[in-house]
Amino acid sequence: MSTGGAGGVKDVEGAEFIAALASHFKKSGKMDLPEWHDIVKTATFKELGPLDKDWYFIRAASICRRLYIRPGAGVGALSAAYGDRNRTKKRMNKYNKASRGLIRHILTQLGEMEIVEKREDQKGRFLSRTGQRELDTIATQIVAARS
């Protein structure tokens, strides 16, 4: 999936790429923050909501990167990927999934931006050609800024 030369998404460190893509989403103005973004928790096992004010853009960028690396992931697979252990009282840790409604909302917005698409013949979500091109462009800019 990489562009062949230096600068594909897989050639860039994940945290650096996600931060750059999140700032791109924020600057573009195409992604609207829901009115509940400041009161929602990202999972049931979390005590508080995210402290970073740009968490929504960061999660959207992270989902895009995850779909680039592993295409065909659905809402359930993404929910499991963002899940974590939950410790309740004195019991042993138990794995819980992240909020599926939040992931579904982000995927819907990415679909409206034509970055993510559903395919009729396959399950899950995939990056569209324009989405893949956009992600490769940002990765190329990161590699060019390094050198």
Side-chain angles (χ1 to χ4, degrees):
M1 281 192 190
S2 184
T3 56
V9 174
K10 294 180 181 179
D11 300 332
V12 180
E13 186 179 331
E16 189 177 5
F17 177 76
I18 289 171
L21 186 59
S23 68
H24 171 72
F25 284 157
K26 187 174 181 180
K27 288 177 189 174
S28 70
K30 295 178 185 175
M31 184 174 278
D32 299 326
L33 283 175
E35 61 267 1
W36 42 261
H37 79 279
D38 56 342
I39 58 173
V40 73
K41 297 190 309 181
T42 56
T44 57
F45 57 87
K46 298 281 187 181
E47 232 177 282
L48 299 172
L51 299 176
D52 188 4
K53 60 182 177 175
D54 296 333
W55 71 269
Y56 191 82
F57 300 111
I58 293 170
R59 179 60 61 98
S62 176
I63 288 174
C64 284
R65 182 178 182 275
R66 192 168 282 275
L67 289 176
Y68 187 98
I69 292 173
R70 181 170 236 163
V75 175
L78 291 169
S79 174
Y82 291 107
D84 201 0
R85 67 180 190 270
N86 182 14
R87 185 177 179 129
T88 330
K89 300 183 182 176
K90 293 183 179 181
R91 296 185 202 146
M92 300 206 29
N93 293 338
K94 184 179 178 186
Y95 184 81
N96 283 22
K97 292 182 178 181
S99 172
R100 291 180 296 278
L102 172 67
I103 292 171
R104 200 174 298 114
H105 189 271
I106 290 173
L107 286 172
T108 303
Q109 283 207 333
L110 290 172
E112 290 171 1
M113 293 170 56
E114 296 179 356
I115 293 177
V116 174
E117 66 184 7
K118 281 186 177 180
R119 295 185 182 162
E120 293 180 17
D121 56 338
Q122 295 173 325
K123 288 185 176 182
R125 308 288 173 107
F126 297 86
L127 285 178
S128 64
R129 288 187 184 267
T130 57
Q132 187 171 347
R133 187 180 326 117
E134 196 168 330
L135 267 61
D136 282 335
T137 303
I138 291 173
T140 306
Q141 291 172 357
I142 292 171
V143 169
R146 268 196 232 153
S147 52

